[in-house]
Structure formats: C-alpha cells, structure tokens
Amino acid sequence: MTTQTLPEAQAASATISPAVDVRLLGVRKAYGDVVAVDGVDLEIEAGEFFTLLGPSGSGKTTTLRLIAGFERPDSGRIELSGVDVTGRAPYERDVNTVFQDYALFPHMTVADNVAYGLRVKGVPRAERRRRVEQILQVARLPNVADRKPIQLSGGQRQRIALARALVNAPKVLLLDEPLGALDLKLRQEMQIELKRIQREVSEVGITFVYVTHDQEEALTMSDRLAVFNEGRIEQLGTPAEVYEHPATEFVAGFVGISNVLERDGRRFTVRPEKVQMHFGANDGGEPGRIRDVVYVGMFTRYVVELDSGGELTVVRQNLETSSADALESRGRRVRLEWRPEHTFDMERPGGHE
Ligand code: ADP
Ligand code: MG
C-alpha cells in the first residue's frame, strides 16, 4: 500500500465527488464590534440551487457580498471552481449578482439593459443581439425589448434584472432576496418562474446562490440550504432534512413551528402535522388542554398545553370541522400522541460552540 500525499488524496477525492463551485473556508467578516460572518465553512456544488436562509441581520447578504468580492474577509478563504479568489476584485470573478431593488438603468430600453454586460465585455453586436433575444425568450419577455423599465410591472422588472445577469452565463448567479419587493401572489409565481429558468439554463450549468428570510421560499426552491443565525451556519441540508430533522432549537423554530419538549431528560422536537389529537379521555397519549385555536381556512392550528409541562402546536386539516367547531374547541381537554420515529433530539441552546 502506498501512502498518498495530501494533494494527491485531494485530487483523487475531487474526481469522485461532484464539482464544488463555491467554497468558503473559515470565512469571517466584522464591521467594528459586529461580527457579520463568524467562521463560515460552505461548499456549493456546480449547478445547485443553494439557499442562505436566516432572519434579518444573520449575515446572509454579507456572505453573498464576500462571494461576489464586494467585501474582503478578515480571515478565511473563498474559492470559485477550485481557484482561490479571496484577493480578487469583483470583475475578476465569474459571478453575477441580482439585487432586490433590480438596479436597472432607467434611461435604457429593456434590450439595452440586458445587453449591458455583453457590451462591457466587448461581445460583437450581432452576437449580442442573438443572446439577448434568446434570454428574453427564456425570461418570457419577448415583446418588451424596446420599452423602458418604468413602462413595466414589478414582476417584469424582476425578470429583466434576472435576464441581465443570466445573459452573461456566469458560473455562479448570486440572488439577494430578489423577490422581496413583490406581493405574495406574484412572489409565488416568480418562485416557479425562477425554478423554470434555472432548469432551462441548466445545460450552461449556472449555480444559483439564493438569499431569503422566507422559510417557505427556501423549502420550495432549494436543492440544499444553509440556515444562518448570528453569522454562523446552524444547519445545512436538503429542505426535507432541515425541516424534518432540525438539528437545533433555533432551526426548529425558524424553519416551521418550534415544537420542543423535554421528557425524561431528553429534549426533542416533533412537527405539528405529526401530532395526533384525540378528544376522547380514554385514548392514548399525553393529556393536556387546548389553549389557543387559529383557524387558517384549509387547516386549523391548535396550541395545546400539556399536563406534564410544555406545549405543542398541532395542525389538523379541516376535513369535517367547520370554523365554528374549531374555535369552540378552545379550553377542551385532549390527548396528544406522536410516534417516537417522528421526534428528533435537539442540541442544547448554545450547544454548537
Ligand atoms: P442579512 O442579510 O442576513 O440581513 P447582513 O449580512 O446584511 O444580514 O448583516 C449582518 C450584520 O452585519 C448585521 O448586524 C448588520 O447590521 C451588520 N452589517 C452589515 N453590513 C454592514 C456595514 N456595511 N457596516 C456595518 N455593519 C454592517
Ligand atoms: Mg440581507
């Protein structure tokens, strides 16, 4: 048996693992006393839709700006496609950014806005026109090429901002709350659009790094996501992993509803839709009392105070229950039951030191 040197071992493992497009190693960034990004390690694979999810101020935008090169880390290292770019300027990195406020040029037509990056790069006029036309098709904007941004709706402007970044076919597309300015209905439509666009450009192989504070958006759109809290990653995984197996109390509460109980020295979480609620006194499970009822149309959310301490939120579809039935159940005695395999142990708060 021969012993491999470290570079050889790395080269060997690189050939079998999927290509890593973005790698952060021990990245830290502080502004005065505020540590915005506190030692982040992250690997994003080529072609992945990867989301940075977290509350306001958790360091998502700073992380994105570090990847883009608008900020330099105090320590740590940033690699794009295996190349150390930590000291490189933004224009020396194969990334494009889409901001929440679109930042379109108001005096330019849609076509000129979209062509801008190609013109700066010196792409010839005919080629420019061909690529702009193509990307406007992908973004479903073919008939507005000659309009000015002001003559378009918010959703259309968002698509132009996206088209303007995509037309450059960057290795990595960075999106900072790109749908944040749209109302709920349009935002949900654009989520589907964005996923469609990502699939359509997948042969070019663009990696999407997406920032949002909206857990539903993160769960529906991402291949994988990282949950940020105070400049650190609390958990990284697929939407199903993070939702079904939250590793910390913070994740349990931020992604979904926090349902944490302590029993026999064990701290665990169980998701609301996994808890059965019985009204009969002789059924199995833990006894308690319904403290609160929230009728949400399709389903009702019940907050149950358990006799043995703690409370759980339970969700029930309104199959046969009317809103009046649901609301009348406030104060009633119930028993709650869940399967052991639907519970997940929690790290203690601050246990990720
Ligand atoms: P997020 O995008 O998750 O809301 P940010 O990355 O914007 O979070 O900010 C993380 C922390 O760093 C916050 O406390 C914020 O106030 C601080 N911060 C971000 N940018 C600056 C800056 N340019 N100067 C000072 N503090 C900043
Ligand atoms: Mg932000």
Side-chain angles (χ1 to χ4, degrees), residues 127-353:
E127 166 77 1
R128 231 157 56 203
R129 188 174 299 162
R130 192 185 63 75
R131 280 168 67 176
V132 167
E133 227 164 73
Q134 190 183 21
I135 208 71
L136 288 178
Q137 291 281 355
V138 170
R140 301 224 168 114
L141 285 165
N143 301 316
V144 298
D146 298 326
R147 292 207 210 154
K148 298 278 172 63
I150 190 111
Q151 298 170 297
L152 298 167
S153 71
Q156 287 173 319
R157 268 184 287 215
Q158 185 50 61
R159 277 177 226 220
I160 298 164
L162 195 61
R164 190 176 57 170
L166 285 170
V167 79
N168 302 310
K171 280 291 288 162
V172 180
L173 185 64
L174 306 172
L175 304 116
D176 194 356
E177 313 239 6
L179 310 181
L182 308 176
D183 61 53
L184 180 64
K185 192 111 177 118
L186 192 53
R187 201 158 74 226
Q188 288 170 340
E189 279 171 29
M190 281 299 294
Q191 288 169 8
I192 295 166
E193 276 291 275
L194 203 58
K195 283 299 284 183
R196 179 188 61 77
I197 289 169
Q198 190 220 1
R199 276 195 301 276
E200 283 190 24
V201 299
S202 66
E203 64 224 64
V204 191
I206 301 177
T207 304
F208 282 54
V209 185
Y210 193 89
V211 161
T212 183
H213 64 270
D214 183 328
Q215 51 124 344
E216 195 179 307
E217 193 161 289
L219 292 176
T220 52
M221 301 186 73
S222 321
D223 294 319
R224 290 191 307 152
L225 58 111
V227 183
F228 273 68
N229 181 28
E230 294 181 350
R232 291 161 180 246
I233 295 177
E234 291 259 336
Q235 190 173 2
L236 196 156
T238 65
E241 282 164 2
V242 171
Y243 180 77
E244 288 171 9
H245 307 192
T248 68
E249 200 154 338
F250 175 83
V251 175
F254 192 74
V255 185
I257 288 166
S258 171
N259 255 356
V260 178
L261 282 185
E262 230 173 311
R263 292 289 182 268
D264 309 320
R266 191 180 155 230
R267 235 176 132 66
F268 63 91
T269 183
V270 52
R271 289 304 189 187
E273 66 277 13
K274 302 292 191 203
V275 181
Q276 291 203 49
M277 187 165 71
H278 311 292
F279 286 91
N282 297 323
D283 290 305
E286 278 204 23
R289 181 185 299 280
I290 297 178
R291 180 173 67 74
D292 215 348
V293 180
V294 185
Y295 177 77
V296 201
M298 259 195 280
F299 59 91
T300 301
R301 211 178 277 138
Y302 301 84
V303 182
V304 177
E305 244 167 26
L306 291 163
D307 297 354
S308 319
E311 58 180 38
L312 285 183
T313 297
V314 183
V315 175
R316 278 187 137 197
Q317 255 195 310
N318 293 325
L319 270 175
E320 272 142 43
T321 330
S322 70
S323 63
D325 293 340
L327 292 169
E328 268 172 21
S329 64
R330 185 174 290 139
R332 282 189 62 181
R333 299 283 306 165
V334 290
R335 300 184 77 92
L336 299 188
E337 205 170 18
W338 56 87
R339 293 203 199 147
E341 64 265 34
H342 290 147
T343 66
F344 293 96
D345 285 347
M346 298 273 88
E347 286 175 26
R348 311 236 146 227
H352 59 77
E353 283 302 300

Side-chain angles (χ1 to χ4, degrees), residues 56-75:
S56 172
S58 58
K60 308 180 299 293
T61 293
T62 306
T63 303
L64 214 64
R65 292 175 59 82
L66 286 161
I67 298 170
F70 300 129
E71 303 281 354
R72 297 289 164 86
D74 303 329
S75 56

